[in-house]
Amino acid sequence: MDSKKRSTRAHCGKGKFPTGINLLRDPILNKGTAFTEAERDALGLHGLLPACVCSLDEQVERVLVNYRRKTSDLERYVYLVNLQVRNETLFYRVIQDHLDAMMPIIYTPTVGEACQKYGHIYQRPKGVFITTNDRGRVAKVLRNAPCADVRIIVVTDGERILGLGDQGANGMGIPVGKLSLYTACAGVRPSQCLPVTLDVGTDNEPLREDPLYIGLKQTRVRGELYDELVEEFVQAVQEVFPKALIQFEDFANRNAFRLLQKYQDRVCAFNDDIQGTGAVALAGLYAAPRLAGTRFADQKFLFLGAGEAGIGIGDMIVGMLVEEGLTPEEARGRCWFVDSRGLVIKARADLNAHKLKYAHDHEPVADFLSAVETLEPTAIIGVSGQPGSFGQSVLQAMARFNAHPIVFALSNPTSKAECTAEEAYRWSDGRAIFASGSPFEPVSHNGKIHVPGQGNNAYIFPGVGLGAIVAESRLITDEMFFAAAKALAAQVTDADLAQGRVYPPLANIRGVSAVIARAVAAIAYERGLARREQPEDLMQDITAQMYQPVYQSYV
Ligand code: NAD
């Protein structure tokens, strides 16, 4: 028995290396039927497994046979999540090899339905739930986490899950799903990932009244108590997992901007709904004019929705336009917003600080179509969660004054998209440059196949996180997201554009993430934010650290 091999395999760095049934119950170490005879001898596994010793490939085949037998996406989700809590290596091998098909299952859109029904499909806990009852002992709760060397925490309070609103503690599906993407898309070790849900109650009454709801059955705690819990959580992370990055995820508008502002310069933290979305949309919007034969600096953007996603994207566009030579004022003048109360203009008295910077001098305009007709934008960006709002008239208007109208319908899940890919191509006579938040199948229009781009945050956050881990960065800065967007846009090839894609194929995602990680880590080193010594070859260092879903020998 080689105990050295086993201790270096670092069973999450916690406790003794397990044997027997405890080993089979450890998702990071478990190999199931792939344990060899020698391992079964050494680790007390005889009798606990059937006689057959399978290879990883054979196990993958068994998973696929079972997976294909499922009749709904939710069943596929449940099957994969159960595989994940049983055997992470096998789970990631399957996901990584079938990312295109399985990302919509482990993440949007299926994860949205899974969150809505989380209490009903719940089987085995994953992640850490911190409730308002844990005030005063949050560090202790974090120490119960199964891993000792956590480097990435995705945390939600469940108040704004995708476009589905308040899902309370059911929101846990989101951190779990996002962290799976960190591993699948960028090779962050599963043992370094920790999903966290801050359960402060829910204002979703039907959910509270559901007997199978898993969270605190109380209305949301707000104000000082809420802020104190978040503060205690952030401080506890610094104490228990000092190298961990905190990703704020799916917090409602009222808290998301505030918390980002409060923590961004203090600890290693970012908000994916604001910064990640901003960067991924910017990358697509930067690549789109190459396809249209125009320049990014000449675009005019009209948003439907002025929330976290909209303002996040607007801020990134402004940064890029300034780099292209516009003044900040000119750049903001290129970004127009319509929210639930109409066009965002100076005369409105109801605007918060984030919208105010995009309030221009203009007559009131009540609806989106009128705004399109009046402003004649080159690009429309849907981040409102209002399905069908890019209707026939809007798309035809865009096609009237643009040779290649840029149409980004980013609202998630699919049911919330402002228009479908098919509608965008049909009503623009095949001329639209289309991207969406959730995936759409390729569309055939007048004999041409158009491949819609998916402005999925998974193109950005895994690479950003990996870069931060590699450099052990003290902070995540806006500059890093900007660099990530540019690195992503640069990887869109002419062949991608020829198919209508403004993002690289998902199949290339690990390579894409590595390039983004290099750009992010380089900034950490340049700005003196890194806590780890700079390696000679940054790219080589990054790829060497990326997790591969293969079994290691324990004997
Ligand atoms: P949010 O709640 O912060 O903002 C929603 C905005 O939409 C608000 O400004 C609201 O006023 C506006 N709105 C609502 N109803 C409207 C109406 N009828 N007409 C005009 N405006 C209206 O939410 P968010 O975080 O900004 O997310 C918005 C959507 O974007 C969600 O569906 C989310 O899933 C999606 N999103 C997509 C991506 C991506 O594709 N990469 C990333 C993040 C968010």
Side-chain angles (χ1 to χ4, degrees):
M1 209 188 314
D2 187 344
S3 61
K4 212 167 166 196
K5 255 185 195 170
R6 293 205 291 276
S7 63
T8 52
R9 183 62 179 77
H11 138 69
C12 288
K14 274 204 154 180
K16 274 186 10 202
F17 192 94
T19 55
I21 195 71
N22 291 332
L23 179 54
L24 298 182
R25 285 184 182 146
D26 184 320
I28 304 259
L29 300 176
N30 185 22
K31 304 190 201 180
T33 53
F35 279 111
T36 62
E37 283 298 330
E39 286 170 328
R40 293 175 191 209
D41 282 342
L43 298 165
L45 295 171
H46 282 301
L48 302 180
L49 293 164
C52 129
V53 175
C54 297
S55 67
L56 182 54
D57 285 339
E58 286 164 337
Q59 289 181 315
V60 169
E61 198 43 44
R62 185 180 297 119
V63 168
L64 293 177
V65 166
N66 278 286
Y67 180 82
R68 288 180 188 131
R69 214 181 279 137
K70 306 292 169 205
T71 53
S72 73
D73 284 347
L74 189 63
E75 278 183 43
R76 290 180 193 104
Y77 173 89
V78 171
Y79 179 70
L80 289 176
V81 165
N82 283 331
L83 174 63
Q84 186 178 18
V85 296
R86 240 175 31 239
N87 182 336
E88 297 238 28
T89 313
L90 180 54
F91 169 79
Y92 282 112
R93 174 63 201 281
V94 170
I95 296 294
Q96 220 169 280
D97 290 356
H98 301 86
L99 198 57
D100 245 331
M102 292 186 181
M103 184 160 347
I105 305 296
I106 59 166
Y107 206 64
T108 180
T110 309
V111 75
E113 187 189 354
C115 286
Q116 288 173 308
K117 298 175 181 161
Y118 215 65
H120 293 241
I121 60 173
Y122 179 82
Q123 293 189 26
R124 203 166 143 176
K126 184 150 175 70
V128 168
F129 291 90
I130 296 170
T131 78
T132 42
N133 301 333
D134 292 319
R135 283 182 58 231
R137 59 170 188 205
V138 174
K140 204 168 156 203
V141 172
L142 281 180
R143 286 201 178 88
N144 291 340
C147 305
D149 185 25
V150 172
R151 299 300 182 95
I152 297 199
I153 291 173
V154 176
V155 60
T156 188
D157 73 354
E159 193 172 6
R160 200 240 52 184
I161 294 300
L162 304 171
L164 302 169
D166 188 347
Q167 302 299 324
N170 283 4
M172 182 57 113
I174 297 292
V176 169
K178 281 245 152 149
L179 284 163
S180 302
L181 297 185
Y182 266 110
T183 302
C185 301
V188 175
R189 296 189 175 284
S191 60
Q192 296 182 327
C193 298
L194 183 66
V196 173
T197 290
L198 299 179
D199 183 357
V200 298
T202 175
D203 291 345
N204 182 336
E205 205 181 325
L207 200 59
R208 266 196 329 256
E209 283 170 6
D210 179 349
L212 296 184
Y213 176 56
I214 56 166
L216 286 180
K217 295 191 173 185
Q218 63 179 42
T219 54
R220 277 186 180 272
V221 164
R222 299 200 183 277
E224 242 173 73
L225 276 184
Y226 174 90
D227 283 359
E228 280 170 21
L229 184 71
V230 177
E231 176 65 25
E232 189 185 338
F233 163 70
V234 171
Q235 283 191 21
V237 170
Q238 309 315 305
E239 185 187 323
V240 182
F241 304 121
K243 291 180 181 168
L245 175 170
I246 302 173
Q247 174 175 330
F248 289 104
E249 188 68 35
D250 285 2
F251 284 70
N253 230 308
R254 71 184 102 194
N255 291 320
F257 287 108
R258 233 169 33 84
L259 294 177
L260 178 61
Q261 213 158 17
K262 183 168 174 187
Y263 292 113
Q264 188 178 23
D265 300 328
R266 229 178 87 184
V267 300
C268 186
F270 73 95
N271 179 307
D272 189 52
D273 306 301
I274 301 172
Q275 296 160 290
T277 302
V280 79
L282 174 63
L285 291 167
Y286 196 74
R290 272 170 63 195
L291 181 52
T294 55
R295 292 184 333 141
F296 180 77
D298 295 333
Q299 308 301 314
K300 185 176 189 182
F301 305 91
L302 176 62
F303 291 78
L304 183 69
E308 292 167 46
I311 300 294
I313 298 168
D315 289 350
M316 293 293 283
I317 289 175
V318 167
M320 189 62 109
L321 286 172
V322 168
E323 250 197 37
E324 303 255 311
L326 276 69
T327 65
E329 209 180 334
E330 285 167 341
R332 280 193 293 274
R334 296 293 185 77
C335 297
W336 292 76
F337 288 82
V338 171
D339 67 8
S340 52
R341 299 196 177 146
L343 191 62
V344 171
I345 51 169
K346 280 197 177 142
R348 277 177 54 179
D350 60 339
L351 301 176
N352 64 28
H354 306 288
K355 292 184 192 178
L356 213 50
K357 61 187 170 198
Y358 294 106
H360 305 306
D361 274 321
H362 201 280
E363 294 296 303
V365 177
D367 63 88
F368 192 66
L369 176 60
S370 311
V372 169
E373 304 263 12
T374 313
L375 296 168
E376 300 198 354
T378 58
I380 50 175
I381 300 158
V383 273
S384 63
Q386 301 300 312
S389 45
F390 292 175
Q392 179 180 351
S393 331
V394 166
L395 294 165
Q396 282 178 334
M398 285 296 290
R400 210 166 52 241
F401 41 75
N402 289 296
H404 293 284
I406 299 172
V407 178
F408 277 27
L410 296 182
S411 288
N412 292 322
T414 319
S415 60
K416 301 278 180 186
E418 284 75 9
C419 66
T420 65
E422 198 272 330
E423 288 162 347
Y425 297 122
R426 182 174 5 132
W427 299 123
S428 66
D429 200 19
R431 288 183 283 124
I433 300 172
F434 177 81
S436 54
S438 298
F440 281 102
E441 292 296 321
V443 174
S444 166
H445 182 88
N446 282 349
K448 186 173 176 208
I449 304 287
H450 301 264
V451 184
Q454 191 193 351
N456 192 321
N457 292 31
Y459 280 115
I460 292 285
F461 70 81
V464 170
L466 179 63
I469 290 183
V470 164
E472 292 182 13
S473 185
R474 280 190 292 109
L475 300 174
I476 301 283
T477 61
D478 287 337
E479 188 187 7
M480 291 175 181
F481 277 98
F482 209 59
K486 284 198 277 190
L488 176 58
Q491 291 179 85
V492 180
T493 63
D494 289 342
D496 294 331
L497 291 173
Q499 289 186 302
R501 282 176 188 280
V502 288
Y503 294 99
L506 267 182
N508 302 351
I509 189 88
R510 279 173 78 99
V512 168
S513 295
V515 173
I516 291 175
R518 179 177 55 188
V520 168
I523 291 175
Y525 285 113
E526 261 170 53
R527 302 283 176 233
L529 294 169
R531 287 174 288 187
R532 189 166 164 257
E533 206 175 306
Q534 183 159 5
E536 241 168 63
D537 185 335
L538 194 47
M539 197 56 173
Q540 196 185 40
D541 186 53
I542 287 167
T543 45
Q545 291 195 45
M546 286 170 80
Y547 164 83
Q548 300 293 345
V550 290
Y551 289 135
Q552 298 198 5
S553 169
Y554 302 144
V555 292

